[in-house]
Amino acid sequence: ADSILRVAKPFIKPVAHFCLLSTFVEDGFRMLFQFKDQANYMSNFWGCPWFLAALFVITNLLLQLGASGMIFLRFKPKFGVGALLFVVVLQTLAYHALWDLHFFMRNLSVSGGLLLLLAETADTSKNMFAGVPEFSTGNDSSSALQLAGRVLIVMLYLSLVQLDSTFRILIDILGLVFVSMIAVGFQTKVSAFAVVALLLLENVTLNAFWFEAMGSSRYDFKKYDFFQTLSVIGGLLLVVALGPGGLSVDEHKKRW
């Protein structure tokens, strides 16, 4: 596994960024090309004037596409990550997702990926001063962000657990072992890579929206789940690229 990770290392971060931001880019373009339908839906859902619903849609699509572009181009990425975190909170409240456990846990997972992206930008800023001596306890803001990101990102796997067959039970138990190891930071890179493989398998089998009739409710739900899961896969790939951070079992083992 370590040899595979070494070979894949140059490609992991770009692929992680692409996957992590995919749900925001897809949602932004969906709002752009289906603007009237989205505004009508929000107006009916809220029972509010159409122009307020339209303003909500415009704000979402501009923030999602603009912030994703900033992160891709490495132009003030911290502001880009902050804007996307704001979008997640805004949509959670706007769609009343606090009371939908499935939707809420997925949003927490995507937020975890964004926190890892924020930790990456903090590490990049530190590397600009690589020649300057500094005292580090491993308990800095970057490590705290990585810990929070690791814990939040495993929420997605918990929302996928379905004990409906012997095979599925075995796969889910294996996955739960790996996500627990990610949360505490033990054998973190290998565990994250294993969960990426499991999520990829589940994503292309359970969320194959391309087999559904375009425009149907099943198509929309599966497409939404597909890109949300892809974003979490991006967050896990960032765990592989960045490591667990200072607040982890792996880091403490190094000090022992």
Side-chain angles (χ1 to χ4, degrees):
D2 287 339
S3 59
I4 295 174
L5 294 178
R6 280 195 294 270
V7 173
K9 187 176 180 179
F11 310 102
I12 290 177
K13 279 190 180 181
V15 173
H17 294 164
F18 172 80
C19 292
L20 182 55
L21 298 173
S22 63
T23 191
F24 299 104
V25 174
E26 187 276 332
D27 196 44
F29 278 115
R30 181 174 58 84
M31 288 185 169
L32 178 63
F33 293 122
Q34 300 176 8
F35 177 78
K36 187 176 180 181
D37 291 339
Q38 291 293 313
N40 287 338
Y41 172 80
M42 293 310 301
S43 178
N44 293 329
F45 184 71
W46 286 347
C48 69
W50 189 87
F51 79 90
L52 286 178
L55 182 62
F56 171 80
V57 175
I58 291 171
T59 300
N60 267 271
L61 74 88
L62 289 178
L63 282 176
Q64 290 186 99
L65 295 178
S68 296
M70 291 170 68
I71 295 168
F72 273 127
L73 298 173
R74 311 307 294 166
F75 174 71
K76 298 187 181 298
K78 287 185 180 180
F79 290 99
V81 174
L84 293 181
L85 283 169
F86 173 74
V87 167
V88 172
V89 173
L90 181 65
Q91 290 191 355
T92 300
L93 296 174
Y95 293 111
H96 300 171
L98 285 172
W99 318 121
D100 184 332
L101 185 61
H102 182 78
F103 191 94
F104 182 63
M105 290 178 73
R106 283 174 177 263
N107 276 2
L108 280 180
S109 295
V110 174
S111 299
L114 290 173
L115 290 180
L116 290 168
L117 194 53
L118 195 59
E120 183 200 2
T121 62
D123 282 344
T124 302
S125 300
K126 281 185 178 182
N127 290 339
M128 293 173 62
F129 305 98
V132 180
E134 62 174 318
F135 176 76
S136 173
T137 64
N139 195 23
D140 55 10
S141 59
S142 178
S143 294
L145 286 171
Q146 286 176 269
L147 172 62
R150 292 199 321 269
V151 172
L152 288 177
I153 210 168
V154 301
M155 294 292 181
L156 175 73
Y157 203 87
L158 298 179
S159 72
L160 291 174
V161 172
Q162 294 181 23
L163 307 178
D164 53 5
S165 69
T166 303
F167 177 73
R168 188 65 187 269
I169 289 172
L170 292 174
I171 292 295
D172 283 340
I173 289 174
L174 181 62
L176 288 171
V177 170
F178 282 129
V179 296
S180 300
M181 291 167 68
I182 293 169
V184 300
F186 176 67
Q187 295 292 320
T188 315
K189 291 188 176 185
V190 174
S191 299
F193 199 74
V195 177
V196 165
L198 289 173
L199 285 180
L200 278 173
L201 178 63
E202 293 211 1
N203 210 22
V204 297
T205 54
L206 298 180
N207 300 323
F209 63 91
W210 47 87
F211 290 134
E212 305 295 337
M214 188 175 293
S216 67
S217 59
R218 284 178 63 84
Y219 176 89
D220 290 336
F221 281 123
K222 286 192 173 187
K223 188 177 181 182
Y224 168 79
D225 282 348
F226 178 86
F227 282 101
Q228 284 265 298
T229 304
L230 197 61
S231 281
V232 176
I233 287 171
L236 287 166
L237 287 174
L238 275 182
V239 173
V240 175
L242 300 176
L247 299 175
S248 64
V249 174
D250 288 343
E251 186 63 27
H252 282 288
K253 282 168 62 181
K254 292 179 184 178
R255 296 174 192 166
W256 296 340

